[in-house]
Amino acid sequence: MQLDLKSRGIFHSKSKTPPTQQEREARLSQKALKFRGFDLPDDLEPELDQEADSYEVGGAMLSVFLNDLRQSSQQDLVEVTLELNDDDSIVVCSVAPTTTGTPTRTPVAAAADEAASVSAVSAGGSKIVRSFSNASRSIRRKFPWLRSTAASSIASDTEDQAAVAPITARDARRIKAKLQRSRSTAQRALNGLRFINKSTTGAKNADELWKRVESKFNSLAKDGLLSREDFGECIGMLDSKEFAVGIFDTLVRRRRQRIDRINKEELHDFWLQISDQSFDARLQIFFEMADSNEDGRITRNEVRELIMLSASANKLSQLKERAEEYASLIMEELDPENLGYIELWQLEELLLQRDTYMNYSRSLSIASVGWSQNLGSKFRPKNLARRINWGVQYLVMKNWQRGWIVLLWITAMTCLFYWKFYQYSHMAAFQVMGYCLPVAKGAAETLKLNMALILLPVCRNTLTWLRSTRARSFVPFDDNINFHKLIACGIAVGITLHAGNHLTCDFPRLVNSPPERFAVISSDFHGVQPTYKDLLTGPEGVTGILMVVFMIVAFTLAARRFRRNVVKLPAPLNKLTGFNAFWYSHHLFAFVYILLVVHGQCLYLAHEWYQKSTWMYISVPLILYVAERSLRTCRSEHYSVKILKVSVLPGQVFNLIMSKPPGFKYKSGQHPFSITSAPGDDYLSVHIRTVGDWTEELKRVVTEGNDPSAVIGRAHFGQLGVSYQRSQPRLLVDGPYGAPAQDYRNYDVLLLVGLGIGATPFISILRDLVNNTRAEEQDSNTEASTSDDSLNSFTSSNITPGGKKKSQRTTNAHFYWVTREPGSFEWFKGVMDDVAEMDHKGQIEMHNYLTSVYEEGDARSTLITMVQALNHAKHGFDILSGTRVRTHFARPNWKEVFTKIASKHPYSTVGVFYCGMPVLAKELQQLSHEMTQKTSTRYEFHKEAKPKNMQVEKRA
């Protein structure tokens, strides 16, 4: 039998007729919560069939039943809210006392009357309370198969008036929550609590999603049945199998079954439920996952278990350890009456108010001012010609600096090659060796140029000085290493052409030429025709072969796979990989340049000094490079520092805090190792990640001996450790060297983006901004403050030699740190707290993003998101980073970030500085160009590198 209840209705015991159409429409418009219902048990169907013979189906039957209740409660009436689910099962949503009156009411009036009744109960209407409790018990006895969370939480046989009071207070909150559930909040909720993530499954529509699931079922099922353990992999939760098992158990309980394997039809039914577009349906599943005993209530322990399940799915071990604490936080928020449980409507209220909690702790404000003025309605033109024109403009704006440098380099090589080719094609030797000779000589001329140019990009002191000149506006100093690699490729091509033509073409022609043809060049070989062996063992051949061998070794060990230990070789060949192998193999070029000079002086076909031009090309760059290396050696000896503190941090990172050498000056964002202290601080701080043999050895040297300054924990600039008392390593600091971020003062607003350890160059900038702002505030308040020692340290980086204070152009900074490891937040925990504490003007906005956690809105991270928002709103710090900066989940929406900054800072110049993997650099650079064209805000993109330039000696 199925009860034909088509809507929620209000039935009074005085009436024996079903509700009118107006009553049904009024109750339908209230957007009430959908509570779980079950199919009628088989043993109850005969009883209900008998009742159906006596009473009309639906409202009439309930009206008679409630009329029986009236006989025992006289004139006191109760209001019963029922719901018919899609599977034709019905539930009692609530049973509440009410007053007599006209049955036809608007939804708002009905809710108001209901709230007034609850208030009367709370004020001490004992008679109504007793009748209400009796009615609730009577209904539960009459319909034991109906599960009602509201009714089950209202009264028990042993309740007295004191126990009912807090329950009715909760009921009042429930009514208020239902009234406040607007269409907008419900619409926003549809984007949350998703069990199926299209981005992970790769499908675009529901049919394609199910086809993928069906295909997985066919490959995983055994004898046509899918096991409980394989359910997660089948629906796309391969990395969250434990969470998927929880979903499986919940859906099985719904079917009143106890099975651990399902067939394809059952899987399809499960799939329809978890992919339901209704927020209420997804909420019900989520609630039932916690409600393991199916009593319609979630206790503290069940909340804790669900938190641990979510933490496990997101691999947050730290969160699992504090699950009890966060379960108490949720219960404290949702159960102020201390009843020890929460109901579905309370969980829904928490999720619907997610934005309220999130906005409370969100740093980046969405300014409404300037959106219409600063943002264009459309950006990409639809016209094909205009789109092509826009694409060309973007490429030109993006690459014009490096473009003209590369074009100039190619033009120079082409001219040199053609010059030598033309010269040797008109010599007598051309008759003997043909075109092989001019090709080899043309390639040799390009080699001379490239062997000179390849030294310039690694003259870092010179580049650091040039960055402070106007040359930075048209020379891409940020691409110095890329240009160094490009020239190396040019050298490899030149060697192939030069040596290849000598060994395979002109040497055989020379050796095998007839005497009458050789006679025209016999004077160049002292009248003796050489053999092939003579050519290889002569000075020119030996020096050439040695140079090729040395460069092959250096080029191979400089390759990324060798430099970063990607190639795994057995001992002792494993010494050929890693940064040390790359570093020392590059010193072979000292011998290469010596051999190059000798090679250039032993030419067979050139005899005049001005014809032997190799030294002319390389002398100036070589002298400059040797001078720089000598300066670095002397300077590092002068900049010997003492270690004040070593902090070993999670994620293979350690922090060194050192004494600041006298006279050591630097700018924020400069290297080596991206200094994380500010220029005005009286110490140096660097964060180093051990990614190779060199950094691993450095970590071992500075942490061995269990010294008191070697501390496991976070770095905090306010607490310096005790310096080493014994076996202190001798630490020599070289630098600083120029970097793109050092020019941050040239911009009104900064957008700093760091991936993982790439955040290090920007920590110093944030501290420097705060220090300068603090110094300006103190300067404007009193003149006497400038004599304070601490103020001097802050202002030292902001005072010109003439004593005049520099104007600070930068007014705001937006810092985005994206990392995969939760432990990474320990790296700069103290630093970020210090910046947040000192930033009184609110000029710095910091945002942490953890990509290992599923995006906000995914069911696996929903509870973590709520715990995080609650904790931040109540205690002011983040549960993952432990700082005041709230952690977002998944990756940032960079277009939204750029748009918000443009709306907040119209007509400003924004410097975009990025340090991390090249993949994101392309996206940020393109967005910088797009938003510059689209808005009044100008974006300029710069990419940071990650050099490693420190020298360490072990003191004897």
Side-chain angles (χ1 to χ4, degrees):
M1 171 190 173
Q2 294 180 342
L3 298 181
D4 186 19
L5 295 179
K6 299 299 183 182
S7 66
R8 295 180 179 180
I10 305 174
F11 305 98
H12 298 286
S13 58
K14 289 184 177 181
S15 174
K16 294 187 178 181
T17 60
T20 64
Q21 182 65 25
Q22 291 82 359
E23 290 173 341
R24 292 181 177 180
E25 293 176 353
R27 296 304 295 173
L28 277 173
S29 63
Q30 290 192 23
K31 299 288 184 181
L33 299 178
K34 294 182 179 179
F35 288 82
R36 181 183 67 226
F38 297 114
D39 294 332
L40 299 179
D42 296 336
D43 56 349
L44 289 179
E45 288 188 4
E47 177 184 348
L48 293 177
D49 288 338
Q50 295 175 4
E51 294 183 9
D53 294 337
S54 304
Y55 304 107
E56 293 183 4
V57 176
M61 180 188 70
L62 291 173
S63 177
V64 171
F65 168 69
L66 293 178
N67 191 45
D68 294 338
L69 294 179
R70 177 181 175 276
Q71 296 176 2
S72 60
S73 59
Q74 301 301 323
Q75 299 300 320
D76 296 329
L77 306 178
V78 294
E79 182 180 285
V80 182
T81 303
L82 304 177
E83 180 179 351
L84 175 63
N85 290 331
D86 295 336
D87 57 357
D88 292 333
S89 59
I90 63 174
V91 295
V92 175
C93 295
S94 66
V95 180
T98 184
T99 57
T100 59
T102 304
T104 303
R105 295 176 296 170
T106 64
V108 175
D113 292 345
E114 192 173 1
S117 300
V118 173
S119 301
V121 172
S122 301
S126 58
K127 182 178 179 181
I128 295 178
V129 169
R130 287 192 298 271
S131 300
F132 180 38
S133 302
N134 294 333
S136 300
R137 289 194 295 271
S138 299
I139 287 180
R140 288 198 301 274
R141 286 194 299 269
K142 186 68 176 179
F143 297 110
W145 46 271
L146 291 176
R147 304 298 302 238
S148 171
T149 59
S152 63
S153 64
I154 292 176
S156 64
D157 293 337
T158 59
E159 287 174 336
D160 54 12
Q161 182 174 351
V164 174
I167 297 176
T168 55
R170 171 175 290 193
D171 206 39
R173 288 197 301 114
R174 177 183 60 81
I175 296 169
K176 182 180 179 181
K178 288 202 299 184
L179 292 174
Q180 290 179 342
R181 183 183 180 183
S182 63
R183 179 174 298 180
S184 60
T185 56
Q187 185 64 32
R188 288 197 301 270
L190 292 177
N191 297 323
L193 211 58
R194 298 185 304 273
F195 290 97
I196 304 302
N197 192 338
K198 293 183 180 180
S199 63
T200 57
T201 56
K204 296 181 179 179
N205 53 59
D207 293 336
E208 185 178 352
L209 280 170
W210 168 244
K211 288 181 180 179
R212 290 176 180 268
V213 174
E214 190 176 22
S215 176
K216 275 288 186 181
F217 175 87
N218 296 332
S219 62
L220 295 173
K222 296 179 181 179
D223 299 327
L225 295 175
L226 180 71
S227 67
R228 176 173 175 261
E229 290 73 19
D230 293 333
F231 179 72
E233 182 178 355
C234 186
I235 65 174
M237 290 188 179
L238 180 61
D239 297 332
S240 310
K241 288 189 175 182
E242 187 176 349
F243 192 87
V245 167
I247 298 176
F248 182 92
D249 294 340
T250 299
L251 299 178
V252 166
R253 288 198 301 268
R254 279 188 162 193
R255 301 172 67 92
R256 297 296 187 186
Q257 296 175 329
R258 291 183 179 180
I259 57 176
D260 57 3
R261 294 196 300 172
I262 56 175
N263 57 32
K264 185 180 293 187
E265 289 73 19
E266 291 170 327
L267 174 64
H268 187 255
D269 179 52
F270 286 6
W271 176 258
L272 292 177
Q273 294 183 58
I274 62 178
S275 61
D276 197 320
Q277 294 300 310
S278 168
F279 170 73
D280 292 324
R282 298 197 300 265
L283 174 66
Q284 187 67 54
I285 297 176
F286 192 73
F287 182 86
E288 292 175 13
M289 287 182 65
D291 184 20
S292 57
N293 60 359
E294 303 180 80
D295 63 350
R297 304 173 178 180
I298 300 180
T299 63
R300 184 191 308 272
N301 290 335
E302 290 173 328
V303 172
R304 178 177 57 82
E305 291 298 325
L306 189 57
I307 291 177
M308 294 183 66
L309 191 64
S310 300
S312 177
N314 291 277
K315 299 178 178 60
L316 299 174
S317 57
Q318 180 182 3
L319 196 65
K320 292 178 67 175
E321 296 172 358
R322 306 183 64 180
E324 183 68 33
E325 175 186 345
Y326 297 136
S328 300
L329 181 68
I330 291 181
M331 296 300 294
E332 181 181 348
E333 177 71 18
L334 300 183
D335 183 27
E337 301 87 4
N338 294 323
L339 298 178
Y341 62 88
I342 59 175
E343 301 169 284
L344 187 141
W345 68 267
Q346 293 165 289
L347 182 62
E348 180 192 41
E349 181 183 17
L350 181 67
L351 296 178
L352 292 180
Q353 292 182 357
R354 180 179 68 94
D355 290 341
T356 302
Y357 293 105
M358 302 287 274
N359 290 332
Y360 182 85
S361 58
R362 181 172 291 144
S363 300
L364 186 59
S365 60
I366 304 177
S368 59
V369 180
W371 270 83
S372 58
Q373 296 88 350
N374 198 29
L375 300 180
S377 58
K378 295 182 180 179
F379 174 63
R380 291 185 180 272
K382 294 183 178 180
N383 184 276
L384 179 60
R386 291 185 178 181
R387 291 178 61 183
I388 295 176
N389 181 48
W390 177 88
V392 172
Q393 289 182 7
Y394 170 69
L395 291 176
V396 171
M397 291 294 296
K398 175 183 177 182
N399 300 299
W400 75 269
Q401 287 183 320
R402 61 174 66 96
W404 81 265
I405 292 290
V406 173
L407 181 62
L408 179 63
W409 174 63
I410 293 176
T411 302
M413 287 195 302
T414 303
C415 292
L416 289 174
F417 182 90
Y418 178 77
W419 171 49
K420 280 299 176 181
F421 184 91
Y422 179 82
Q423 182 180 352
Y424 275 85
S425 63
H426 290 78
M427 293 179 64
F430 180 76
Q431 301 176 15
V432 179
M433 291 176 274
Y435 282 101
C436 300
L437 178 63
V439 170
K441 291 300 182 179
E445 204 67 19
T446 64
L447 278 172
K448 298 175 186 177
L449 174 66
N450 287 332
M451 290 298 290
L453 292 179
I454 201 170
L455 296 173
L456 297 180
V458 291
C459 294
R460 290 174 176 166
N461 290 289
T462 303
L463 293 181
T464 301
W465 170 73
L466 288 174
R467 284 179 183 274
S468 61
T469 66
R470 294 185 178 180
R472 69 173 182 269
S473 61
F474 56 88
V475 177
F477 294 113
D478 299 349
D479 291 322
N480 62 318
I481 299 301
N482 292 331
F483 191 52
H484 179 78
K485 295 177 181 178
L486 180 63
I487 297 173
C489 293
I491 290 175
V493 173
I495 290 174
T496 302
L497 290 175
H498 179 71
N501 275 278
H502 275 326
L503 296 176
T504 64
C505 188
D506 55 15
F507 280 7
R509 282 172 175 257
L510 175 62
V511 170
N512 299 317
S513 62
E516 62 275 9
R517 183 175 296 180
F518 175 75
V520 299
I521 58 171
S522 62
S523 60
D524 295 326
F525 296 91
H526 306 289
V528 179
Q529 186 173 4
T531 64
Y532 198 86
K533 181 180 179 181
D534 293 335
L535 294 174
L536 292 181
T537 58
E540 191 177 46
V542 172
T543 55
I545 293 174
L546 288 177
M547 281 192 295
V548 171
V549 171
F550 288 159
M551 284 193 282
I552 289 176
V553 172
F555 284 10
T556 302
L557 298 184
R560 182 182 179 276
R561 294 178 61 84
F562 282 87
R563 190 178 72 253
R564 299 203 172 181
N565 278 321
V566 178
V567 177
K568 302 298 181 182
L569 299 177
L573 296 179
N574 59 339
K575 298 295 184 181
L576 296 177
T577 61
F579 181 79
N580 279 335
F582 154 75
W583 176 255
Y584 289 116
S585 65
H586 255 55
H587 285 74
L588 290 174
F589 276 94
F591 301 102
V592 170
Y593 278 99
I594 296 174
L595 293 171
L596 180 61
V597 173
V598 175
H599 185 81
Q601 295 298 317
C602 301
L603 302 178
Y604 291 115
L605 303 178
H607 306 288
E608 300 296 333
W609 68 270
Y610 55 84
Q611 294 177 330
K612 302 174 181 181
S613 59
T614 302
W615 65 273
M616 300 179 187
Y617 281 94
I618 68 173
S619 57
V620 174
L622 190 60
I623 292 173
L624 178 62
Y625 181 76
V626 171
E628 284 227 357
R629 290 298 300 267
S630 302
L631 175 63
R632 290 171 58 181
T633 302
C634 297
R635 185 172 55 188
S636 61
E637 289 287 345
H638 178 67
Y639 290 153
S640 179
V641 299
K642 292 183 178 180
I643 299 177
L644 302 179
K645 181 179 180 180
V646 180
S647 297
V648 181
L649 305 171
Q652 299 297 316
V653 173
F654 64 99
N655 169 234
L656 285 178
I657 298 181
M658 304 161 285
S659 61
K660 187 175 182 179
F664 185 83
K665 297 181 180 180
Y666 64 94
K667 296 180 180 179
S668 292
Q670 285 185 329
H671 306 292
F673 278 111
S674 301
I675 304 174
T676 51
S677 55
D681 294 329
D682 56 357
Y683 54 87
L684 295 178
S685 174
V686 293
H687 284 71
I688 303 172
R689 187 171 188 176
T690 54
V691 292
D693 52 353
W694 194 93
T695 49
E696 288 176 356
E697 179 67 13
L698 174 61
K699 179 181 178 181
R700 185 192 65 79
V701 169
V702 299
T703 59
E704 68 178 1
N706 296 322
D707 295 281
S709 55
V711 179
I712 305 296
R714 68 178 184 271
H716 195 289
F717 282 111
Q719 299 174 354
L720 300 184
V722 181
S723 61
Y724 283 102
Q725 301 298 324
R726 66 181 188 279
S727 186
Q728 180 178 357
R730 187 184 181 196
L731 199 62
L732 306 179
V733 178
D734 180 30
Y737 295 114
Q742 74 179 55
D743 299 324
Y744 78 90
R745 293 177 182 272
N746 298 328
Y747 301 96
D748 304 315
V749 181
L750 302 179
L751 174 56
L752 310 174
V753 181
L755 265 60
I757 197 63
T760 51
F762 307 131
I763 296 297
S764 177
I765 294 177
L766 298 179
R767 288 185 54 81
D768 196 31
L769 283 173
V770 174
N771 288 350
N772 291 332
T773 302
R774 182 175 174 181
E776 290 176 0
E777 292 177 353
Q778 296 181 4
D779 231 6
S780 61
N781 292 334
T782 174
E783 289 290 332
S785 61
T786 58
S787 62
D788 187 80
D789 291 338
S790 61
L791 180 59
N792 287 337
S793 65
F794 285 120
T795 59
S796 60
S797 62
N798 208 32
I799 299 295
T800 62
K804 296 182 180 180
K805 191 172 182 62
K806 297 179 183 178
S807 59
Q808 182 174 328
R809 178 178 175 181
T810 305
T811 57
N812 293 89
H814 303 267
F815 174 53
Y816 285 79
W817 184 19
V818 184
T819 181
R820 287 187 56 84
E821 301 295 333
S824 303
F825 296 125
E826 289 289 333
W827 301 348
F828 310 116
K829 183 176 181 179
V831 180
M832 299 183 83
D833 278 336
D834 289 345
V835 171
E837 183 178 355
M838 293 189 293
D839 183 25
H840 301 299
K841 288 187 175 181
Q843 65 178 142
I844 298 175
E845 295 178 358
M846 296 181 290
H847 307 265
N848 294 336
Y849 280 82
L850 186 62
T851 59
S852 61
V853 177
Y854 293 99
E855 62 183 351
E856 295 173 0
D858 194 295
R860 289 164 286 188
S861 63
T862 295
L863 199 58
I864 297 176
T865 303
M866 298 315 306
V867 170
Q868 181 197 48
L870 280 173
N871 191 81
H872 201 288
K874 185 171 183 178
H875 302 296
F877 65 88
D878 186 73
I879 62 174
L880 297 177
S881 66
T883 67
R884 302 182 186 181
V885 183
R886 189 173 69 83
T887 301
H888 306 261
F889 299 146
R891 292 172 175 82
N893 184 335
W894 292 114
K895 189 170 185 179
E896 180 181 350
V897 170
F898 274 75
T899 301
K900 290 177 179 178
I901 293 178
S903 67
K904 194 172 184 180
H905 307 285
Y907 306 102
S908 300
T909 303
V910 180
V912 182
F913 296 94
Y914 170 71
C915 186
M917 300 299 292
V919 178
L920 181 57
K922 182 178 180 181
E923 179 183 354
L924 295 179
Q925 188 171 23
Q926 184 172 357
L927 280 172
S928 297
H929 178 73
E930 288 183 2
M931 298 305 294
T932 298
Q933 300 293 324
K934 183 179 179 180
T935 70
S936 64
T937 305
R938 179 182 178 184
Y939 291 87
E940 294 185 10
F941 177 80
H942 303 274
K943 184 180 182 302
E944 288 280 335
K946 301 178 185 178
K948 300 174 178 62
N949 306 308
M950 294 188 72
Q951 303 174 17
V952 178
E953 290 183 24
K954 184 68 177 179
R955 176 179 291 178

